[in-house]
Amino acid sequence: MRLFAPSKSQRQQEFETEALQYLDVLYAHALRLTRSPSDAEDLVQDTFVRALRFYDRFERGSNLKAWLLRIQFNGFVNRYRRHVKEHQASETLTQEPAGEATLGREALRSLLDPQAIALAPVVAKEIEAALAQLPEEHRAVVILADVEELSYKEIAEVIGCPIGTVMSRLHRARRALQELLVEHAASLGLVSAAKLAAEKTEAATVESAAAEKTVSLANYRRHRSRG
Amino acid sequence: MMDCRVVQKHLSAYVDGELDPSRMLEVEQHLGVCNDCELARSCLGALRREVKVRLVAPPAPPHLRQRVQRAMRGIEVGDSSAPNHTWSVVLSVAASVLLVAGSLVGTDRRIDSAGMVTPLDIVKDVVDRHKDELPAEIATKEPQRATSWFRDKVGFRVRTVEFPTEPKVHFTGARMSQVGAQQAAKLYYDVDESRLTLVMFKAPPPLTEALSDSRGLERFGVHRVRVSGREVTYHTLQGYTVPMLQDNGIVYAFAGDLDQTSLLHLVATARIPH
């Protein structure tokens, strides 16, 4: 027994017209997430079906693209997490407190072309491979920010986390990307490993000096509060 | 003046134009006088541009549009299941197990002005607990072993839930967890290759009050449907459906990777043996 005739409602029509505009965007995003055309197609279909079901909860006037991407991202996390686990071995790469020490001058120069405006082509070629090595959470924010050009607020909505997390994840993700690219540059002989090592030691010294400073500042405050 | 380490921490947000104006200005001033940070900025900017260029994906294949349109046929907006008539009748029948989602108190975070954690917070916690996929602390196929493992750990007696024979629900393990500030027991199941998480925690007294206020429940986006002869109350969040049932002062909240129809059916036919 059906209670309603299966006619296409106005809202449904509206959804089809509005949402299907983003088919390419969603497919591209799904492809980047799943890295398999057939998985991407499944994911996109799933996204549209879910989005249609929940379309009554979509606030008119808000960003439909971001909303669809959020549904897709959730769908991806649910369905493909198992596959993602394979990549979690590389998680440690960025779990380290990256981003505290800064990349040295030599390291940065090795990434850029002589005018220091664009990435050196041999380095740029390696971006996709480097991105693939990032943990899924980090890859996702880079893609949403740089390729989909969403704002931090929109990214936070898509992946369901605070804006501060988006900010720190992006910082770490880009930092990790740069490090991977520097490694690549070093393997091509664009920068000498010895120079990089020297820079690292220098950075580490600065870091520990900074840490000492913080400690002494804490001591100073303690003394003051006693006095 | 900001020092280099602080500036470099903000550079990523700077190249995205996401810093607030005053900080943006500070960073800009620093970049004007510091070659190293300016180099780091160029590098980040170049990386950002290059990621966009390198990751240009092909357009969706032509058959995908038709496939998506076909899949959307017969699905109604706001109808979160198929076939659609199953959920359209809502009857208020008190079942021996009452399925609820309501207001809970007693946590140290996200407390609203009335000092209450909203049901949404609770639902969000349950969804997060499902998503975190933390490993089981006790991995066993026997629910009884897990329930005795929980003894003296969570402050209430953890009971197993009996599911119908079809689909096959396999218990895989359990761990300690938390919902709001409440200690919770988290049980893991596998259903047809999908993960199902059951989070149990003590229902504080206001839950009973929330129950009597149906308008309150509606306001919080709680849905009620009648499935397999039983009324099921559930919440949806981030695409997840979170049915909750209450029995003897304990809330049983479910989140899973299975589709909504299957999950609601499963919960509606679940039994808590006494």
Side-chain angles (χ1 to χ4, degrees):
Chain A
M1 178 193 74
R2 285 186 86 88
L3 297 179
F4 304 104
S7 71
K8 220 183 243 182
S9 70
Q10 211 183 340
R11 191 97 167 108
Q12 196 162 4
Q13 193 70 57
E14 176 192 306
F15 174 82
E16 274 204 38
T17 323
E18 294 291 318
L20 276 173
Q21 291 180 67
Y22 298 110
L23 183 69
D24 285 343
V25 170
L26 289 173
Y27 177 72
H29 184 244
L31 202 56
R32 286 181 208 110
L33 289 174
T34 62
R35 285 181 279 158
S36 138
S38 69
D39 283 351
E41 286 186 28
D42 288 350
L43 183 59
V44 169
Q45 176 182 330
D46 201 48
T47 304
F48 276 97
V49 168
R50 285 167 83 92
L52 175 59
R53 283 181 179 153
F54 292 109
Y55 193 48
D56 54 336
R57 275 175 239 166
F58 171 71
E59 271 177 53
R60 276 200 177 91
S62 56
N63 187 337
L64 181 62
K65 179 175 146 187
W67 187 71
L68 290 169
L69 284 169
R70 174 172 71 204
I71 291 174
Q72 177 148 291
F73 185 76
N74 284 334
F76 167 72
V77 171
N78 295 347
R79 279 178 73 159
Y80 298 96
R81 254 280 151 83
R82 271 169 214 198
H83 305 289
V84 168
K85 275 191 179 154
E86 295 159 22
H87 303 286
Q88 281 179 354
S90 61
E91 179 96 10
T92 45
L93 189 79
T94 45
Q95 287 285 307
E96 295 160 14
E100 296 314 322
T102 54
L103 274 178
R105 209 171 303 158
E106 293 297 332
L108 290 170
R109 284 213 181 112
S110 74
L111 298 181
L112 292 166
D113 67 0
Q115 288 79 37
I117 296 167
L119 290 190
V122 277
V123 171
K125 253 173 47 190
E126 200 58 23
I127 281 186
E128 234 184 312
L131 255 177
Q133 288 186 56
L134 295 189
E136 178 236 315
E137 291 88 347
H138 287 186
R139 199 169 70 238
V141 285
V142 172
I143 290 167
L144 291 170
D146 294 351
V147 186
E148 312 303 351
E149 297 185 316
L150 297 187
S151 69
Y152 285 9
K153 185 168 173 276
E154 287 165 337
I155 297 172
E157 280 167 17
V158 169
I159 60 181
C161 71
I163 291 179
T165 309
V166 173
M167 206 176 272
S168 61
R169 259 190 214 173
L170 253 178
H171 171 69
R172 279 158 172 262
R174 285 175 175 155
R175 181 53 218 269
L177 266 181
Q178 286 180 322
E179 273 179 13
L180 287 166
L181 294 174
V182 169
E183 263 174 41
H184 176 68
S187 75
L188 293 174
L190 294 176
V191 58
S192 90
K195 272 186 181 172
L196 287 180
E199 262 185 2
K200 267 202 169 154
T201 326
E202 195 187 320
T205 323
V206 174
E207 273 300 291
S208 61
E212 266 169 36
K213 227 178 178 174
T214 322
V215 171
S216 56
L217 189 65
N219 282 337
Y220 165 76
R221 289 211 174 106
R222 211 171 302 136
H223 282 299
R224 260 187 67 137
S225 66
R226 268 189 220 138
Chain B
M1 182 101 164
M2 278 178 157
D3 82 9
C4 293
R5 288 189 319 144
V6 179
V7 169
Q8 299 232 356
K9 233 180 185 166
H10 288 120
L11 270 187
S12 191
Y14 174 81
V15 297
D16 288 329
E18 292 272 358
L19 282 184
D20 59 69
S22 67
R23 191 151 278 172
M24 182 96 91
L25 221 69
E26 280 185 86
V27 171
E28 230 146 56
Q29 273 177 352
H30 181 97
L31 290 176
V33 294
C34 176
N35 289 337
D36 282 354
C37 287
E38 175 54 28
L39 182 65
R41 187 207 56 82
S42 308
C43 207
L44 267 178
L47 179 71
R48 191 171 174 272
R49 284 192 298 276
E50 205 66 47
V51 167
K52 184 162 174 68
V53 174
R54 293 279 155 181
L55 264 77
V56 170
H63 65 261
L64 184 60
R65 180 178 292 266
Q66 281 108 52
R67 192 182 146 181
V68 166
Q69 279 171 324
R70 243 194 335 268
M72 288 193 290
R73 230 170 266 159
I75 291 168
E76 304 269 340
V77 173
D79 173 16
S80 316
S81 62
N84 53 25
H85 61 264
T86 320
W87 318 118
S88 57
V89 190
V90 176
L91 294 174
S92 51
V93 172
S96 63
V97 173
L98 194 51
L99 296 127
V100 299
S103 239
L104 308 174
V105 288
T107 178
D108 51 351
R109 61 212 166 91
R110 302 190 314 263
I111 292 174
D112 69 11
S113 53
M116 307 262 283
V117 172
T118 69
L120 260 179
D121 294 330
I122 295 295
V123 173
K124 186 168 186 313
D125 271 0
V126 171
V127 169
D128 286 347
R129 292 299 95 82
H130 171 69
K131 288 202 298 196
D132 65 26
E133 283 194 62
L134 291 171
E137 287 176 291
I138 170 165
T140 170
K141 290 190 160 91
E142 295 165 42
Q144 276 76 18
R145 278 196 51 210
T147 51
S148 45
W149 178 80
F150 275 115
R151 202 164 291 150
D152 303 324
K153 283 197 174 75
V154 285
F156 59 89
R157 185 163 163 214
V158 175
R159 293 173 193 276
T160 55
V161 174
E162 284 177 4
F163 291 104
T165 44
E166 277 304 320
K168 284 253 179 312
V169 179
H170 301 283
F171 179 69
T172 58
R175 66 174 289 124
M176 295 278 295
S177 190
Q178 201 173 8
V179 170
Q182 314 260 349
Q183 284 202 315
K186 181 158 118 171
L187 279 70
Y188 291 131
Y189 299 88
D190 258 351
V191 188
D192 286 340
E193 306 267 289
S194 291
R195 294 190 309 115
L196 173 68
T197 304
L198 162 58
V199 187
M200 296 180 197
F201 49 97
K202 242 187 214 167
L207 191 64
T208 330
E209 281 166 40
L211 260 181
S212 59
D213 177 13
S214 62
R215 271 174 316 162
L217 289 180
E218 271 164 34
R219 207 173 49 240
F220 291 127
V222 174
H223 306 265
R224 278 197 192 146
V225 289
R226 197 166 164 75
V227 192
S228 312
R230 187 194 265 179
E231 190 170 284
V232 182
T233 310
Y234 66 95
H235 225 301
T236 55
L237 186 76
Q238 298 173 11
Y240 282 97
T241 297
V242 183
M244 291 195 193
L245 62 106
Q246 189 189 249
D247 178 63
N248 271 339
I250 304 296
V251 175
Y252 296 71
F254 299 81
D257 297 345
L258 42 169
D259 63 89
Q260 189 182 49
T261 314
S262 316
L263 180 59
L264 290 177
H265 175 77
L266 203 65
V267 173
T269 48
R271 276 192 62 242
I272 299 162
H274 289 275

